[in-house]
Amino acid sequence: MFLIVASILSSAFCPAGALAGGIDIAAHWMTDLKEGVCLIGFWFNHEHCCWTSNETTFQERDRCPQWKSWAELIAGASEGPFAYAVNYLMYLFWALLFSFLAVTLVRAFAPYACGSGIPEIKTILSGFIIRGYLGKWTLIIKTITLVLAVSSGLSLGKEGPLVHVACCCANILCHLFTKYRKNEAKRREVLSAAAAVGVSVAFGAPIGGVLFSLEEVSYYFPLKTLWRSFFAALVAAFTLRSINPFGNSRLVLFYVEFHAPWHLVELAPFILLGIFGGLWGALFIKANIAWCRTRKTTRLGHYPIIEVLVVTAVTALMAFPNSYTRMSGAELISELFNDCSLLDSSQLCGYKQPSNTSETGVDNSLADRPAGEGLYTALWQLALALIFKMLITVITFGMKVPSGLFIPSMAVGAIAGRLLGVGMEQLAYYNHDWLIFRGWCSPGADCITPGLYAMVGAAACLGGVTRMTVSLVVIMFELTGGLEYIVPLMAATMTSKWVADALGREGIYEAHIRLNGYPFLEPKEEFEHSSLAVDVMRPRRGDPALAVLTQDGMTVGEVETIVESTHYSGFPVVVSQESQRLVGFVLRRDLLISIDNARKRQDGIVSASKVVFTEHTPAQPPEAPPPLRLRGIMDLSPFTVTDHTAMDITVDIFRKLGLRQCLVTHNGRLLGIITKKDILKHMAQIANRDPDSILFN
Amino acid sequence: MFLIVASILSSAFCPAGALAGGIDIAAHWMTDLKEGVCLIGFWFNHEHCCWTSNETTFQERDRCPQWKSWAELIAGASEGPFAYAVNYLMYLFWALLFSFLAVTLVRAFAPYACGSGIPEIKTILSGFIIRGYLGKWTLIIKTITLVLAVSSGLSLGKEGPLVHVACCCANILCHLFTKYRKNEAKRREVLSAAAAVGVSVAFGAPIGGVLFSLEEVSYYFPLKTLWRSFFAALVAAFTLRSINPFGNSRLVLFYVEFHAPWHLVELAPFILLGIFGGLWGALFIKANIAWCRTRKTTRLGHYPIIEVLVVTAVTALMAFPNSYTRMSGAELISELFNDCSLLDSSQLCGYKQPSNTSETGVDNSLADRPAGEGLYTALWQLALALIFKMLITVITFGMKVPSGLFIPSMAVGAIAGRLLGVGMEQLAYYNHDWLIFRGWCSPGADCITPGLYAMVGAAACLGGVTRMTVSLVVIMFELTGGLEYIVPLMAATMTSKWVADALGREGIYEAHIRLNGYPFLEPKEEFEHSSLAVDVMRPRRGDPALAVLTQDGMTVGEVETIVESTHYSGFPVVVSQESQRLVGFVLRRDLLISIDNARKRQDGIVSASKVVFTEHTPAQPPEAPPPLRLRGIMDLSPFTVTDHTAMDITVDIFRKLGLRQCLVTHNGRLLGIITKKDILKHMAQIANRDPDSILFN
């Protein structure tokens, strides 16, 4: 049995790992295509192009004659304002082309391919069915358009959509096995594992992926799913590693290695980053939801293609002049996380070289140094990039292209963290004798690692937006592999969650679920209201009585009248109208199909035929038409609660057992019914929200 | 709110961390006391004693004049057979003294302090109440006797009992807060966090601890518990670190750092270790359970003190001559995990020194070398230690002293792994040209790390015994901090679990739960039998009808007769005997107390008084005594299922909602009752076990 599951999981998640690798490679190539082309083969990206040429040194590894920028190719000039303008225009052209293709493909073939997909997967795992959301068209189009969207330079990431892609893979593979095709619950377990796989391949963090699935995505996570998710996440991560898209044979997206330990005093700036992350997270959610609501309710929503093109144009125009916004989000984060070594040529490492040290003097290579010209320029550019990213991400997330939020959030946090980190470093360098620095910062030694600040900042901002906690810390821990940094990460994430929760209880995914009106019963929130089942159930006091069927007292005609005059999706069956003792529950669909079939195939079923739900057909007068026996379609074990059951217990039952409806009895008599929709409406009312915004299928 | 929880958790788990530190220090000192004493202060352990003397070099760091073995102190001789005999006798004396104290204290003050406590905590978290199991006496006595038991040299570890100690701390602190004292469910959440803390401080692995609690201990693990557990585990780990009991300012118990990567071919020996671990795990469980059953059913169980003394004597007598069994389990594992460097003086690193390399030549220091005399001796001793540990652990676990299973299991696996690792290493050294080695083993280079094999073996054996999977891999991952070794660990753990599951489905903790007859409804096992609620409920067909009360038709005397003539802990209340429509459920205890109080305090309550459960008192003849109104003590929302509900769904409801009983109805009429005991008996019957072995309170 386990071997079968294992083989399903591995065959399902090898493709997910392979797809992730393919997306990485394609996106990398197309991102570089915006800047230029490789003469020895247009299919090489910038880095690969220059690998093939042996002339380059390590220092100049991204400059080689084979790689031509568009200005060199078209205008023949590599410098000067004209060349710059050509490059600028070509960058804009490609960005618009890619985003136009992305939004057109999404609209034409698979409308479900847009967005990150995580809110919808959360909803699906909670029991809601969205047909086609995990189908093959969504998979194909989302994979293609994800590459296009990432390459267009928009402020979005590929991590969230990868979760959706992995879930599509899993769902399609489930259809091949009867056991999973027929059993919705088992399929959901596989989907939970798929969510783990998505994050595992996105970051190269299998354990973090499993915890992400557990903490953020899954609704019901039995223990065997834990083990299977872990297995699947590892298989996928190793598939990805064998494809080696980052070209460094590392599993992880941002590999970092820090040399200096952190000091207890540094917790203060880390907590500051946490506060920043929390504030930004909460404000981002409010702004983004407000923008998305505007899109939904005004005419803006009717022109998604124009919207995407305008946002792409603005992004490209603003991003090109600043090297930190021009590079892709992942590259930016990678650079910000990086610890400077003496040989580093990046602007961020533009410290003044210590004059008395030769390049081979390894002793001093990691010591603190004063900031130089290059670093000051970098800081300015980073500050501008921070403001730009913070604003543009608000209007980007939620457009009709695949868009993840992990990378933009982390980028914002990493920039803020790096700025603070460099600030702290310079403060410590110039003020070694301050009391707080005296303990661990001596001249000529390394005491503050700005890259660590960037990492902590990234975690804080991502935590503020998504409200992830343990999984976030574990993902970051897997990136660095050092237990040493758990406490800074933890402190920042915790602060960020507290600050953000104080400003608004929902994470971005819950906020989008509510915006879209999906019927999602939040498993984390406690229901703390003293209402009883009788207050929530239908019919309310004064409403007409509940539409019920009796087990042997109604004719086919009467049943049809009840079914047609109401829109309920199911009807309780009682012993008799007088006793109201509950027998079972019949679904509207089953009832209609059965009556329809019986009228067609069974002799003598007319409107006057008795409908019988009992085990034995009651005696009938001889001239009566033959009865229609429907016990087979009745659910004999409907869930019931009494009218005095407290709503917090009822909500708990709905959550834990994944119910869609529950009947309410009083002293053994049927009194009413509570559906998931009733509960969601009741909760919306308590929270002073509009109860009619909730969808239901 | 969160701040309150956080402060409770941190104040609860700081003591746990501090206790763990204290236990480490005390056990270390007492273990050394068996061998000798420090002249400059008897309270120094061997290592600390020699730290204070400045004469020692790094090589000879555990030999210094201040530390005297008992032979030196008593007989004045440090060598020779007489000195050996004196040391042997003193070792035996201290071992017997410690174990005698341990077992006597346990028996005299806190019988619950024995064993590992994990089976009981699992049962408590599933809803069973064992009074005093988490009380202050258990805490005090378990802490003291744990030190004694570990120091006595018995084949047991302190990791499992630390989980119990942490849970006691948490439980006692819960009593200080009304919110937690009154709410059983909330207290269980804190206990889940405490289990995480226990493992966190035992291994210095906070993430592993949380996953251990999730995978192995907890019954119901809501998401907010995940986050709180993680917080608590980190606080405790940092408290422990600040106490620094291992003297290396590392968080982890076994710090390892490997230099060589592993090769895909090595998966074969790793899987072999997994098979060994699985086999040993399954056989150990069978043997240990058989031994414990013998103890329970024969006269052996009447002499726990003699049993402990005999086992201690045997252990001490057999362990002393072999240096690998004489050292403590944790030290042994630490040594086995260790990678040999050229300077290492340990016997396990007794390789032949390459003749042409000076000691400063760092190039060659880690290359493969042929095994020397020392290593061969070590291998022999290890093989003997393996057999000894495998046998003695079977009879040790389950004695009336605190005893954990983690360290002995890991020791067995680590020995087996190291043996295999050295074997592989020598095979590779002498056969570089074999096809399988040619790829990655060249002469003069390091290609096989025996320490890694030891680690994989330890994981495999622990996995076989406990059936942990993800948490085990994560604990091991936290010890090494390298993602590189996840796949070997994973492969071994998975194989081990499969092999062990094939031989017997239960882990050691489940087996002990069943041995003790605790009412524990296994959350992992699927109930795959097609019985219905009607088949399991009481009364069975032919039994007398269910004892029910009517809502307004019975007198106090009649109710008392029913209560006295039965032993049920609760009674359903129905509208009338004829209708059998369910109104509510009353607990026996509440009923007795209420009637008793009414008779004492309320005027006119006599046996002929009506007992009324309705909202409004029905009209009564004027001469009747005043009625006794008991609606207040009735549970108005008892859980019900219909008689046609499938048992797998019923079991699921019991598990997820943590029920103790559930009423069964048919067409709105009360038919019977299902208790947790009925379900456990039914499951035992299906599995052909004795259904009467199940305890219930």
Side-chain angles (χ1 to χ4, degrees), chain B residues 92-284:
Chain B
L92 185 62
F93 163 73
W94 285 112
L96 286 172
L97 178 67
F98 293 155
S99 66
F100 176 75
L101 281 174
V103 68
T104 320
L105 281 172
V106 165
R107 279 186 66 80
F109 298 104
Y112 288 141
C114 70
S116 84
I118 293 179
E120 285 79 9
I121 288 165
K122 279 185 78 145
T123 315
I124 288 173
L125 288 177
S126 82
F128 188 64
I129 294 168
I130 310 179
R131 272 180 219 295
Y133 198 82
L134 300 175
K136 63 175 180 304
W137 277 108
T138 310
L139 173 64
I140 296 167
I141 296 299
K142 186 132 194 174
T143 309
I144 297 169
T145 53
L146 179 57
V147 172
L148 290 166
V150 169
S151 313
S152 74
L154 282 166
S155 177
L156 46 80
K158 63 177 173 46
E159 283 63 26
L162 270 180
V163 172
H164 188 180
V165 166
C167 284
C168 289
C169 279
N171 188 51
I172 291 167
L173 269 136
C174 275
H175 274 283
L176 303 181
F177 299 88
T178 326
K179 185 178 168 194
Y180 290 89
R181 192 171 52 230
K182 295 234 169 118
N183 191 332
E184 187 69 28
K186 292 225 172 288
R187 193 150 80 224
R188 272 185 234 149
E189 283 172 23
V190 176
L191 290 182
S192 294
V197 164
V199 173
S200 165
V201 293
F203 289 100
I207 302 171
V210 173
L211 287 173
F212 173 79
S213 172
L214 172 66
E215 193 182 5
E216 192 60 39
V217 183
S218 297
Y219 199 77
Y220 169 58
F221 203 92
L223 276 172
K224 52 177 195 251
T225 312
L226 184 73
W227 171 233
R228 290 174 190 173
S229 303
F230 190 43
F231 177 72
L234 260 182
V235 169
F238 263 77
T239 314
L240 180 63
R241 183 179 140 142
S242 62
I243 295 175
N244 196 7
F246 311 122
N248 56 2
S249 77
R250 289 279 174 195
L251 208 55
V252 298
L253 183 53
F254 317 110
Y255 179 72
V256 269
E257 207 167 344
F258 299 128
H259 306 282
W262 58 278
H263 194 269
L264 215 61
V265 176
E266 289 186 276
L267 274 182
F270 293 148
I271 286 172
L272 212 66
L273 282 174
I275 294 173
F276 170 78
L279 284 176
W280 186 71
L283 292 179
F284 172 80

Side-chain angles (χ1 to χ4, degrees), chain B residues 594-666:
Chain B
S594 298
I595 293 179
D596 210 42
N597 280 348
R599 277 190 188 266
K600 277 184 202 149
R601 306 210 185 120
Q602 202 177 330
D603 274 345
I605 297 292
V606 291
S607 291
S609 300
K610 273 260 174 353
V611 175
V612 176
F613 290 101
T614 50
E615 218 159 340
H616 307 288
T617 317
Q620 285 198 303
E623 72 278 11
L628 173 58
R629 300 177 46 84
L630 292 181
R631 192 178 177 84
I633 61 163
M634 181 169 63
D635 174 12
L636 284 163
S637 50
F639 280 95
T640 58
V641 294
T642 69
D643 53 345
H644 280 89
T645 310
M647 270 315 286
D648 55 348
I649 294 177
T650 314
V651 170
D652 210 41
I653 295 174
F654 266 81
R655 275 180 194 149
K656 286 188 186 156
L657 303 178
L659 300 186
R660 299 204 184 171
Q661 75 266 326
C662 180
L663 297 166
V664 182
T665 60
H666 173 76

